[in-house]
Amino acid sequence: MPDDGPWATLRDHLVERLPVPSARVDAMLAEGRIVGDDGPLALDAPFVPRSVIWFHRDLPDEAPVPFAVDVVHRDEEIVVVDKPHFLATIPRGRHVRETALVRLRHELGLPALSPAHRLDRVTAGLVLFVIDPDRRGTYQNLFRDRRVTKVYEAVAPHDPALALPRVVRSRIVKERGVVTAREVPGEPNAETLVELVEARNGTARYRLTPRTGRTHQLRVHMASLGLPLLGDPFYPAVRDVPLDDFRAPLQLLARELAFPDPRTGRERRFTSRRVLQAWEDPDGWAAGDAAERSSTPTSGSVIS
């Protein structure tokens, strides 16, 4: 709260301060959703200068994402999951309840669970979560220090004239408020190894190994090669896709995740069991029959 002011009650201050109708402020107070140090605050609670209050904002209406989050590995410190397409990693903007973090906190009974890194909402595959908040920084530092190996799989057009494998380097910038990233002149800050795995009927499956972690890096680099990923709503051109349209997921999968165990130094390696529909079921993909499929379950964690 401000240092001083003309308000007799907290309610009077909130009505003036918050961008919601006064009736909504009254309802939130009546429902006990606005709290101070001692608990819920009443409608006639006095305005107290420099005090602190908390409230949960109204959640947006969200389209349910009809795909499950699969747990690949869980121990006393971490949870590694196989995230489906269309599910955001953490709450942001219009996505709160329909996020991997919120789902997992409820489903696993781990209210302090936190992500060590993120995947785009439209990208599927492996995400590492940390159970103990005090250990989160340890795992985040592995990503910061580039000690984590991430390998992606993608489906895109095939260009037999393009020599692969190759390393793509460029400078990528992402401006706040702009949905797409772009390449600009200057010293490269993004690097990706692009490898061709197999090709058929004008389409190919690629292995992508990023050596940096810029926003949309893989999508930008593939588009720059003339190989935009199938199902990409941003590159090479932005398409308006409703949030409840699950028919054509981006054909990008975080396939492998490997890092040294922070306690023992031994390598831990995890592999996604998901498959990309445009490659495994091209007819279903072409027909818009969206599905989240997995291969035959195998051991999720290998410690060598």
Side-chain angles (χ1 to χ4, degrees):
M1 297 296 108
D3 291 339
D4 54 44
W7 312 281
T9 66
L10 172 70
R11 183 255 182 208
D12 293 341
H13 172 67
L14 294 180
V15 166
E16 181 175 317
R17 179 173 178 176
L18 298 181
V20 298
S22 59
R24 188 71 202 115
V25 174
D26 293 340
M28 292 173 69
L29 285 164
E31 295 165 4
R33 293 177 57 189
I34 299 177
V35 301
D37 289 333
D38 298 322
L41 295 162
L43 274 164
D44 60 352
F47 170 78
V48 179
R50 304 187 68 180
S51 62
V52 177
I53 65 167
W54 296 263
F55 64 90
H56 291 284
R57 65 183 174 89
D58 292 329
L59 296 178
D61 292 331
E62 298 180 62
V65 178
F67 310 118
V69 183
D70 299 329
V71 175
V72 174
H73 172 84
R74 177 179 176 180
D75 59 33
E76 68 279 1
E77 282 203 350
I78 63 172
V79 177
V80 179
V81 304
D82 221 349
K83 186 184 80 67
H85 294 100
F86 302 111
L87 189 70
T89 302
I90 63 172
R92 184 179 182 183
R94 298 169 64 182
H95 306 283
V96 180
R97 288 167 294 200
E98 287 298 307
T99 62
L101 177 61
V102 173
R103 281 196 189 180
L104 290 167
R105 282 179 170 177
H106 287 287
E107 293 173 6
L108 302 181
L110 298 172
L113 192 71
S114 58
H117 66 121
R118 286 182 284 176
L119 283 184
D120 289 343
R121 185 182 73 91
V122 292
T123 303
L126 298 175
V127 185
L128 171 64
F129 290 85
V130 183
I131 294 174
D132 182 355
D134 291 337
R135 294 287 290 165
R136 183 186 184 191
T138 300
Y139 286 92
Q140 286 181 318
N141 289 344
L142 293 175
F143 290 88
R144 182 199 64 189
D145 298 339
R146 300 184 184 178
R147 301 181 68 194
V148 179
T149 299
K150 295 180 285 184
V151 178
Y152 291 74
E153 184 177 312
V155 180
H158 178 227
D159 180 1
L162 183 66
L164 295 175
R166 70 167 58 194
V167 175
V168 181
R169 297 183 181 90
S170 68
R171 184 166 189 82
I172 295 177
V173 298
K174 173 71 167 61
E175 298 170 358
R176 187 176 180 87
V178 180
V179 298
T180 56
R182 59 192 177 92
E183 293 179 303
V184 298
E187 181 179 354
N189 62 2
E191 180 177 320
T192 306
L193 171 63
V194 180
E195 300 173 276
L196 174 66
V197 178
E198 54 185 324
R200 69 185 182 209
N201 302 324
T203 303
R205 189 161 63 95
Y206 298 90
R207 180 184 297 110
L208 309 178
T209 306
R211 291 171 179 162
T212 53
R214 311 303 300 185
T215 299
H216 297 176
Q217 174 178 320
L218 302 180
R219 299 158 68 180
V220 169
H221 278 170
M222 289 296 283
S224 72
L225 294 175
L227 306 173
L229 304 187
L230 271 60
D232 196 333
F234 287 174
Y235 306 96
V238 175
R239 294 182 291 109
D240 185 17
V241 179
L243 293 177
D244 59 352
D245 185 346
F246 307 116
R247 291 175 297 176
L250 174 71
Q251 295 301 277
L252 181 61
L253 172 66
R255 171 66 71 191
E256 298 178 16
L257 188 67
F259 54 87
D261 185 281
R263 294 192 187 275
T264 67
R266 298 169 66 190
E267 183 181 70
R268 310 196 72 174
R269 183 176 298 274
F270 303 92
T271 303
S272 170
R273 294 193 289 261
R274 296 188 183 276
V275 297
L276 293 175
Q277 185 185 14
W279 189 259
E280 299 295 332
D281 178 24
D283 292 338
W285 164 264
D289 179 19
E292 286 290 314
R293 296 181 173 87
S294 299
S295 61
T296 302
T298 58
S299 174
S301 174
V302 176
I303 302 178
S304 57

